[in-house]
Amino acid sequence: MRAELDRVLAGSEFRTSERRTRLLKFLVEKAITGEQVKEYSIGVDVDKPRDYDPRIDPAVRVEMGRLRARLASYYATEGRNGRERLEFPKRSYRPVLQFVSEPQPKEGSSAGRPRRFALTAAIAITVCIAAVVAWRWAARNRVPAVNSEVRELTAKARFFWNKRTPEALATSLELYQEAIRKAPRYAPAYAGEALCYAVMATDSVLPADQTSAQAVDAANAAITLDPNVAEAHAALGLIAWAIHFDWATGDMELSRAVALDPTFATAHQWRAMSLLYTGHRSESRAEIIRALEIDPVSMPLLGDDGMISYYSRRYDEAIEKARKMLAMDPAFRNAHLLLGDALEAKGDWAGAEREFQTVARASTGDSEGSAHLARLFALTGRRKDAETIVEKLLHPMPNQYIDPYQLAFVFTGLGQNNTALEWLAKAVRQHTAITMNVDPELDPLRNEPAFQQLLKEAHFI
């Protein structure tokens, strides 16, 4: 069984997915040792946190569906001539090793045949094998037909993904994963899953390491099925620059996504922000304009357009854009944050507090609104109120993730620059400090040698 595992993992079906490889290794080793495994233990031992609940998170079942599909594809192509096969019976996480018997030759069939008939047979077999291989290659590289139910699932998933709220992203992810279960070789569903995880990895709701790896796995699965899925390349591009500070790879993947689908506005949007954060403001502006020409009423695009104005210190322009967004959608969280930041920069403390309170009240677990309030209280002399919030941020609920970048700008507001730099260093290492090169809230730290060293660590300089 272990020898067959090694042969399978050497095939192209598994080389592109570290998580699927890890899952198959884990299950085979447990089968060899005779240990029983359950859904919870699989999730925790492979990559899930200890509070993973399989009743509400179908990740293991989704991965098992993909694993079975990958094994079937391997044995239909590269592994078709093997004598053994790893298989997972239905509703089982325990692999079995099936032996494939060789067909027995008919009596007197080959030994007495003249050599010319053997040669003719060999040529015929070679031609047939070549035809089968060519057909299988074409089958693997075309987009399979899917039924209307799967298309409807992916359309609904994209609708929720475009909302970008934590609740909508969770709904979108569930819909994409349902589409994958129903059509395990449908590349757009994997690409959509990658987009969900990529946004989750960069929005400070979950630890970036946890979700960025899932984004990369899903994107690579999509590209294996169809190399020309723009969304998958866009997800890889976002993860490259936003999580790993690999600006060159990020720009390459996003440029490829734009080339594959010039109408995919999000690829233009993410490239615009990458250019902004690395100091290319005019190019960033041109890219966000192209995105808005494609989708002029997208709230995420409008939100980033406003942030470009804010990070470029054009605060009046940012305020105007934020108010236009709120006229379109009074509940749009990012517009309230943008307006609060710009009003704070202008010294309109009451207006900024109103916006940050709105964000905090609408929170479903994230701390961004509270962190901005703490900073505002510190700047306006309400130190005790600020410290009360800081205490909560330093001792979060068991399932709550607090972005260290938020504590960095809070301590900057409190005038505790050394502590702020300590938290900023944690943010760099947790991949959440992507705005540090342009963020006005960190301006008091810019002349510090430690800040310059962090800029180097994040490959800004």
Side-chain angles (χ1 to χ4, degrees):
M1 185 177 281
R2 190 173 285 117
E4 182 62 14
L5 171 68
D6 292 340
R7 282 190 287 272
V8 170
L9 296 183
S12 60
E13 291 288 348
F14 285 83
R15 284 199 300 266
T16 58
S17 176
E18 180 183 349
R19 185 166 21 136
R20 210 154 297 132
T21 294
R22 194 164 65 246
L23 175 60
L24 183 58
K25 282 182 177 179
F26 172 79
L27 294 174
V28 168
E29 291 298 331
K30 292 296 183 184
I32 290 172
T33 59
E35 295 180 56
Q36 295 294 324
V37 293
K38 295 184 178 180
E39 192 171 336
Y40 171 79
S41 63
I42 294 172
V44 171
D45 286 346
V46 174
D47 68 357
K48 285 290 182 181
R50 291 286 170 185
D51 59 356
Y52 162 66
D53 187 346
R55 294 171 300 178
I56 60 177
D57 184 345
V60 170
R61 296 189 294 278
V62 170
E63 283 301 314
M64 285 302 302
R66 293 178 183 168
L67 182 59
R68 288 187 174 93
R70 285 286 183 269
L71 283 172
S73 180
Y74 169 77
Y75 286 120
T77 53
E78 297 169 83
R80 64 184 177 278
N81 294 324
R83 293 291 309 278
E84 297 88 24
R85 296 189 176 191
L86 284 173
E87 293 183 0
F88 286 88
K90 279 190 175 183
R91 294 182 293 279
S92 173
Y93 296 133
R94 184 182 181 86
V96 296
L97 192 63
Q98 299 285 8
F99 292 88
V100 182
S101 61
E102 289 184 329
Q104 297 297 318
K106 293 181 180 179
E107 184 178 353
S109 60
S110 60
R113 287 180 180 175
R115 183 175 296 179
R116 65 176 179 274
F117 288 109
L119 179 61
T120 302
I123 293 172
I125 290 170
T126 301
V127 171
C128 289
I129 289 174
V132 170
V133 169
W135 178 82
R136 289 192 184 281
W137 183 91
R140 287 184 63 198
N141 286 276
R142 68 171 182 257
V143 177
V146 295
N147 59 36
S148 58
E149 182 184 6
V150 172
R151 286 196 297 271
E152 183 177 347
L153 282 169
T154 53
K156 287 180 178 178
R158 177 57 69 90
F159 169 79
F160 284 104
W161 179 77
N162 276 320
K163 290 179 175 291
R164 299 292 206 280
T165 64
E167 300 83 5
L169 284 170
T171 300
S172 177
L173 182 61
E174 289 175 3
L175 291 167
Y176 278 125
Q177 291 176 338
E178 178 67 17
I180 289 169
R181 283 194 291 272
K182 293 182 179 297
R185 296 193 62 78
Y186 186 48
Y190 290 98
E193 183 186 40
L195 290 176
C196 287
Y197 281 131
V199 173
M200 288 176 171
T202 59
D203 66 1
S204 300
V205 174
L206 294 172
D209 285 336
Q210 175 182 330
T211 43
S212 63
Q214 293 169 308
V216 171
D217 277 356
N220 284 334
I223 291 169
T224 298
L225 294 167
D226 182 356
N228 297 320
V229 180
E231 292 84 352
H233 288 284
L236 289 177
L238 179 64
I239 294 300
W241 67 255
I243 304 302
H244 302 301
F245 302 118
D246 186 348
W247 306 99
T249 299
D251 193 67
M252 179 187 70
E253 290 288 357
L254 288 166
S255 296
R256 179 167 175 77
V258 168
L260 289 170
D261 183 1
T263 65
F264 184 32
T266 300
H268 291 283
Q269 171 197 3
W270 289 345
R271 185 164 187 265
M273 301 312 289
S274 172
L275 290 166
L276 172 72
Y277 298 149
T278 50
H280 302 87
R281 292 183 182 177
S282 60
E283 295 174 59
S284 170
R285 181 65 187 150
E287 198 71 33
I288 200 70
I289 287 173
R290 283 195 286 272
L292 287 168
E293 286 171 351
I294 298 166
D295 192 352
V297 295
S298 166
M299 299 307 288
L301 295 187
L302 291 168
D304 276 355
D305 180 38
M307 293 308 298
I308 290 173
S309 297
Y310 172 72
Y311 288 133
S312 301
R313 276 58 172 181
R314 298 196 297 268
Y315 300 126
D316 289 333
E317 184 177 285
I319 290 170
E320 181 182 357
K321 290 178 178 179
R323 285 176 172 157
K324 284 183 179 179
M325 284 186 279
L326 291 172
M328 296 170 62
D329 181 359
F332 187 43
R333 175 182 180 277
N334 287 357
H336 286 289
L337 266 178
L338 171 62
L339 183 55
D341 284 337
L343 290 172
E344 178 186 283
K346 294 278 290 181
D348 184 349
W349 311 117
E353 182 176 351
R354 181 176 61 250
E355 299 306 319
F356 295 149
Q357 290 282 11
T358 299
V359 174
R361 284 195 299 270
S363 169
T364 57
D366 68 276
S367 58
E368 198 162 13
S370 297
H372 278 84
L373 276 173
R375 173 182 167 80
L376 179 68
F377 292 155
L379 293 173
T380 54
R382 298 160 65 179
R383 195 175 186 89
K384 186 174 180 180
D385 291 336
E387 290 172 346
T388 298
I389 296 176
V390 168
E391 185 65 19
K392 292 180 180 178
L393 296 177
L394 291 172
H395 301 90
M397 300 293 288
N399 296 327
Q400 186 181 19
Y401 172 68
I402 302 298
D403 183 355
Y405 190 82
Q406 296 169 2
L407 282 158
F409 66 66
V410 172
F411 281 112
T412 302
L414 286 165
Q416 300 178 24
N417 286 2
N418 289 337
T419 304
L421 285 165
E422 291 173 7
W423 284 100
L424 185 60
K426 293 178 182 180
V428 169
R429 280 138 212 173
Q430 290 187 27
H431 321 294
T432 64
I434 54 175
T435 64
M436 64 180 290
N437 194 37
V438 295
D439 193 343
E441 294 177 338
L442 300 183
D443 283 351
L445 306 178
R446 295 196 182 278
N447 293 328
E448 300 282 350
F451 186 86
Q452 295 300 312
Q453 185 58 40
L454 289 173
L455 286 177
K456 289 180 182 178
E457 190 174 330
H459 304 143
F460 285 109
I461 57 177

Coordinates of all heavy atoms in Angstrom, one line a residue, residues 3 18 78 81 88 128 159 173 184 188 241 282 287 324 337 348 418 452:
A3 N 3.9 1.5 -1.2 CA 4.6 1.6 -2.5 C 3.6 2.2 -3.5 O 4.0 3.0 -4.3 CB 5.0 0.2 -2.9
E18 N -0.4 20.4 -2.1 CA 0.2 19.9 -0.9 C -0.8 19.4 0.1 O -0.5 18.4 0.7 CB 1.0 21.1 -0.3 CG 1.7 20.7 1.0 CD 2.5 21.9 1.6 OE1 2.6 23.0 0.9 OE2 2.9 21.8 2.8
E78 N -2.2 8.3 -16.0 CA -0.9 7.8 -15.7 C -0.8 6.5 -15.1 O 0.1 5.7 -15.3 CB -0.2 8.9 -14.8 CG 0.0 10.2 -15.5 CD 0.4 11.2 -14.4 OE1 1.6 11.3 -14.1 OE2 -0.5 11.9 -13.9
N81 N -1.8 1.5 -16.1 CA -1.2 0.2 -16.3 C -0.7 -0.5 -15.0 O -0.1 -1.6 -15.1 CB 0.1 0.4 -17.3 CG -0.4 0.8 -18.7 OD1 -1.4 0.3 -19.2 ND2 0.4 1.7 -19.3
F88 N -11.1 4.4 -2.1 CA -11.9 4.7 -0.9 C -13.3 4.3 -1.1 O -14.0 4.9 -1.9 CB -11.8 6.2 -0.5 CG -10.5 6.6 0.0 CD1 -9.5 7.0 -0.9 CD2 -10.2 6.6 1.4 CE1 -8.3 7.5 -0.4 CE2 -9.0 7.0 1.9 CZ -8.0 7.5 1.0
C128 N -3.5 2.7 -31.4 CA -4.6 2.8 -30.5 C -4.3 3.5 -29.2 O -5.0 4.3 -28.8 CB -5.2 1.4 -30.2 SG -6.0 0.6 -31.6
F159 N -22.4 36.0 -6.6 CA -23.2 37.1 -6.1 C -22.8 37.4 -4.7 O -22.6 38.6 -4.3 CB -24.7 36.7 -6.3 CG -25.6 37.7 -5.5 CD1 -25.9 38.9 -6.1 CD2 -26.1 37.4 -4.3 CE1 -26.7 39.8 -5.4 CE2 -26.9 38.3 -3.6 CZ -27.2 39.5 -4.2
L173 N -18.5 30.6 -0.1 CA -17.7 29.4 0.0 C -18.5 28.1 0.1 O -18.1 27.1 -0.6 CB -16.8 29.6 1.2 CG -15.7 28.4 1.5 CD1 -14.8 28.4 0.3 CD2 -15.0 28.7 2.8
P184 N -16.9 17.5 -9.6 CA -15.6 17.6 -9.1 C -14.5 17.9 -10.1 O -13.3 18.0 -9.7 CB -15.4 16.2 -8.5 CG -16.4 15.3 -9.1 CD -17.5 16.2 -9.4
P188 N -14.2 26.3 -12.9 CA -14.6 27.5 -12.3 C -15.1 27.4 -10.8 O -15.0 28.4 -10.1 CB -15.8 27.9 -13.2 CG -15.5 27.3 -14.5 CD -14.8 26.0 -14.1
W241 N 1.2 38.8 -3.3 CA 1.6 40.1 -2.8 C 1.0 40.4 -1.4 O 1.7 41.0 -0.6 CB 1.4 41.2 -3.8 CG 0.0 41.6 -4.1 CD1 -0.7 41.3 -5.3 CD2 -0.9 42.5 -3.3 NE1 -2.0 41.9 -5.2 CE2 -2.1 42.6 -4.1 CE3 -0.8 43.1 -2.1 CZ2 -3.2 43.3 -3.6 CZ3 -1.9 43.8 -1.6 CH2 -3.1 43.9 -2.4
S282 N 0.4 56.6 -9.9 CA -0.2 57.0 -11.1 C -0.7 55.7 -11.9 O -1.8 55.7 -12.4 CB 0.8 57.8 -12.0 OG 1.9 57.1 -12.3
E287 N -5.1 51.8 -13.3 CA -5.7 50.5 -13.2 C -7.1 50.4 -12.6 O -8.0 49.7 -13.0 CB -4.7 49.6 -12.4 CG -4.9 48.1 -12.6 CD -4.5 47.6 -14.0 OE1 -3.5 48.2 -14.6 OE2 -5.1 46.7 -14.5
K324 N -20.6 59.2 -1.5 CA -21.3 58.7 -2.7 C -21.6 57.2 -2.5 O -22.7 56.8 -2.9 CB -20.5 58.9 -3.9 CG -20.5 60.4 -4.4 CD -19.6 60.5 -5.7 CE -19.7 62.0 -6.2 NZ -18.9 62.1 -7.4
L337 N -15.8 53.0 7.2 CA -14.4 53.0 7.6 C -13.6 54.1 6.9 O -12.8 54.9 7.5 CB -13.8 51.7 7.4 CG -13.8 50.7 8.6 CD1 -13.1 49.4 8.1 CD2 -13.1 51.2 9.8
D348 N -11.9 66.2 12.1 CA -13.4 66.1 12.4 C -13.6 64.9 13.3 O -14.0 63.9 12.9 CB -14.2 66.0 11.1 CG -15.7 66.1 11.4 OD1 -16.1 66.0 12.6 OD2 -16.5 66.2 10.4
N418 N 7.4 52.4 20.6 CA 8.1 51.2 20.6 C 7.2 50.0 20.7 O 7.4 49.0 20.0 CB 9.1 51.2 21.9 CG 10.2 52.1 21.7 OD1 10.7 52.4 20.6 ND2 10.8 52.6 22.8
Q452 N 12.0 51.2 9.2 CA 12.7 51.0 7.9 C 13.1 49.6 7.7 O 13.1 49.0 6.6 CB 13.9 51.9 7.8 CG 13.6 53.4 7.8 CD 12.7 53.8 6.6 OE1 13.0 53.4 5.5 NE2 11.7 54.5 6.9

